[in-house]
Amino acid sequence: MAVPLSLPRQAIYTRGSVGGLMLRNALSMVAGTLAMSGYNLVDAYFVGQMPGAAPLAAIGFTFPVILFFTFILRGVIVGVATVTAQALGAQNHERAQRVVSYGLALIAVVAGGLGVTGIATLTPVFHALGARGDALRLVGDYMFVWYLGSFTLAGLLAGNDLLLAVGKLKLASAAMVIGMVVNAILDPVLIFGWWGLPPLGLTGAAIATVLAQTLGMLMTLGLLIGRYHLARRQILPWRRAWLLWSIILRYGVPATLGMLVLPVGATLMTWITASFGDAAVAAVATATRLEQMAFVLPMAFGMTLTPVVGQNFGAKLYERIRRCRRFSMRCALVFLTVMAVGYFFLADFFAAGFTADAEVKRIMVLYLTIIPWGFGFIEVHRYAGFIYLGCGRPAVAAWLNVFRILGLIAPLSLLAWHWNWLPGVFGARLVADIIAGATGWYLSSRLTRRLDAPDGVAG
């Protein structure tokens, strides 16, 4: 069996110390995860320099819809990347190549359909979310361009996840960093009209994002196809192609449904926040982007957790999966508790750096002194889902997201909204995160203990 060029015969994630592997992975991906957070943070910073609260509010309205479209794409991508990782762990490189080839075709079809649907429903969707007047007009400027370039986001996400699945972390991280730097350079140029260009406002911000994503897509897919030959033009009989897609979708559909509840939750929270005024929408949108910076290192752990577990699951190395779970979750809890302390004491400083509006600043400080205490539990909850995916249990991973959003955040937040109590809305999120994290810890621990049992998951 031929091994694709430059890929080792033994899967990268099935060797050596688990703790050392996870730390090396995290360090390799820190720059990349920082860059991922930087996309939104850079946009928020430069848009925040535009006059009035409407531009930041417009960005806030786009957040749940972008999440919705992104998670549909990511569901399919997760299916492709997870099956690829399991095939590599089992040393079946030809299967991995087929999965990547046909998986990319499926991703392209989904991305095209989403872009067309988004353009056709742009105004009614954002009007239903509460965008009005200048905010609605600015949302349209941004999202029309974003929808046109949605295929570039799909290609970038797919390329990154597949590079992680084969263990090429530094290359994936480098592509993310380069894309973020390009976005940071182009944002002020296109938004404010530097270098003799006309000022384009939020349209310029969207163009900068799409161009940066295009560059990242070309880099990552070029490596997968050109250097590692993990995708190639091949025609399978229809029955075999459909079987392959059905295997991908067995992971992708539950992953999509599980992730779709996140934008549903974000949409609900945007609607609730909008009832407290544009200042609240602007404050929460900005604080949410600032919040992402706390997750740079934990996300670096998490981005490789599913492929690490998937390769070891394919190789039947179950004790390595157990050690991986314990190490990653403990690190996340300790690190994010420290970050919560920092956000609590520096909330005023952070808010002042992003806005001069007194009301927006007040709400940002309120958010940053309540929400961060649940950061560690959020990440444990996410890690539990990643572990279930890698172990071939995508339905449970989806259920964990549904439980947190629809079972906890939605009812608790609506209760606080009924009382017209904004601090209670933030407190509801905190309580939900703590309960969800504790549940994820317990269930993932039980799963990994049973992997090699006679009646366990692996059989």
Side-chain angles (χ1 to χ4, degrees):
M1 181 182 299
V3 178
L5 180 66
S6 299
L7 290 183
R9 290 185 177 276
Q10 183 180 1
I12 288 175
Y13 300 137
T14 60
R15 300 176 285 178
S17 162
V18 168
L21 171 69
M22 295 301 294
L23 286 173
R24 287 193 301 274
N25 287 355
L27 291 174
S28 297
M29 292 306 300
V30 163
T33 53
L34 184 62
M36 288 180 64
S37 301
Y39 266 97
N40 289 329
L41 201 60
V42 165
D43 281 349
Y45 176 77
F46 286 113
V47 170
Q49 310 308 305
M50 297 173 67
L56 268 181
I59 289 293
F61 282 116
T62 69
F63 185 64
V65 177
I66 288 176
L67 275 181
F68 181 83
F69 278 74
T70 301
F71 286 143
I72 293 177
L73 291 172
R74 284 204 63 85
V76 182
I77 292 166
V78 162
V80 177
T82 303
V83 177
T84 300
Q86 291 175 346
L88 291 172
Q91 301 298 296
N92 193 339
H93 296 87
E94 290 184 0
R95 176 181 172 81
Q97 192 176 59
R98 289 195 300 271
V99 170
V100 172
S101 300
Y102 276 78
L104 289 176
L106 183 60
I107 291 165
V109 171
V110 173
L114 288 175
V116 172
T117 302
I119 291 173
T121 61
L122 198 159
T123 298
V125 164
F126 286 101
H127 189 274
L129 285 176
R132 301 289 187 274
D134 286 343
L136 181 59
R137 177 181 60 80
L138 292 170
V139 165
D141 292 343
Y142 186 91
M143 290 303 298
F144 181 77
V145 175
W146 192 90
Y147 285 138
L148 286 177
S150 59
F151 72 94
T152 66
L153 174 65
L156 174 61
L157 293 176
N160 281 336
D161 277 21
L162 288 167
L163 284 175
L164 297 181
V166 301
K168 303 302 179 181
L169 282 71
K170 292 181 180 178
L171 293 173
S173 187
M176 297 177 202
V177 171
I178 292 171
M180 189 275 289
V181 170
V182 170
N183 185 58
I185 293 171
L186 293 178
D187 254 348
V189 173
L190 297 176
I191 292 172
F192 303 115
W194 290 5
W195 303 343
L197 295 175
L200 298 177
L202 286 190
T203 299
I207 292 173
T209 297
V210 170
L211 290 176
Q213 289 171 178
T214 300
L215 179 60
M217 175 187 71
L218 294 175
M219 291 177 61
T220 55
L221 295 184
L223 287 168
L224 286 167
I225 298 170
R227 178 181 294 184
Y228 303 120
H229 302 291
L230 266 177
R232 65 180 182 182
R233 295 181 62 182
Q234 52 180 310
I235 305 298
L236 292 178
W238 170 249
R239 185 171 298 177
R240 290 186 63 192
W242 177 250
L243 177 62
L244 194 60
W245 281 331
S246 67
I247 293 170
I248 292 171
L249 292 174
R250 186 174 73 83
Y251 287 83
V253 170
T256 297
L257 295 176
M259 286 188 285
L260 279 180
V261 300
L262 300 177
V264 168
T267 301
L268 174 64
M269 296 307 298
T270 299
W271 179 79
I272 290 174
T273 304
S275 70
F276 293 92
D278 278 356
V281 175
V284 171
T286 307
T288 300
R289 284 158 173 76
L290 187 61
E291 166 187 336
Q292 293 174 4
M293 302 306 294
F295 290 90
V296 169
L297 186 59
M299 282 175 62
F301 270 92
M303 287 182 72
T304 60
L305 196 52
T306 295
V308 167
V309 172
Q311 283 197 8
N312 284 283
F313 185 78
K316 302 185 185 300
L317 299 174
Y318 305 128
E319 180 57 32
R320 288 180 62 83
I321 297 175
R322 284 187 280 271
R323 293 201 298 268
C324 179
R325 185 201 71 84
R326 289 192 298 267
F327 185 81
S328 59
M329 288 186 173
R330 289 170 183 172
C331 286
L333 275 175
V334 172
F335 179 80
L336 287 169
T337 298
V338 174
M339 293 299 294
V341 173
Y343 274 76
F344 182 84
F345 286 107
L346 295 174
D348 281 292
F349 172 78
F350 288 146
F354 278 86
T355 182
D357 187 291
E359 183 63 7
V360 173
K361 179 180 176 181
R362 182 187 69 81
I363 297 173
M364 278 188 68
V365 170
L366 183 66
Y367 184 102
L368 294 172
T369 54
I370 295 174
I371 296 293
W373 298 108
F375 283 176
F377 295 93
I378 295 173
E379 205 63 11
V380 167
H381 169 268
R382 288 174 180 162
Y383 286 4
F386 297 156
I387 291 166
Y388 268 98
L389 275 172
C391 291
R393 297 287 295 274
V396 181
W399 176 88
L400 285 169
N401 282 335
V402 172
F403 172 66
R404 174 175 173 258
I405 301 298
L406 301 185
L408 296 171
I409 290 181
L412 293 174
S413 299
L414 286 171
L415 186 62
W417 169 78
H418 178 72
W419 290 337
N420 196 35
W421 186 30
L422 185 58
V425 173
F426 298 154
R429 155 83 184 271
L430 173 61
V431 171
D433 290 342
I434 292 172
I435 295 173
T439 302
W441 181 290
Y442 168 74
L443 291 178
S444 61
S445 175
R446 188 178 69 172
L447 168 75
T448 56
R449 285 199 307 268
R450 298 179 58 211
L451 280 176
D452 55 355
D455 59 345
V457 174

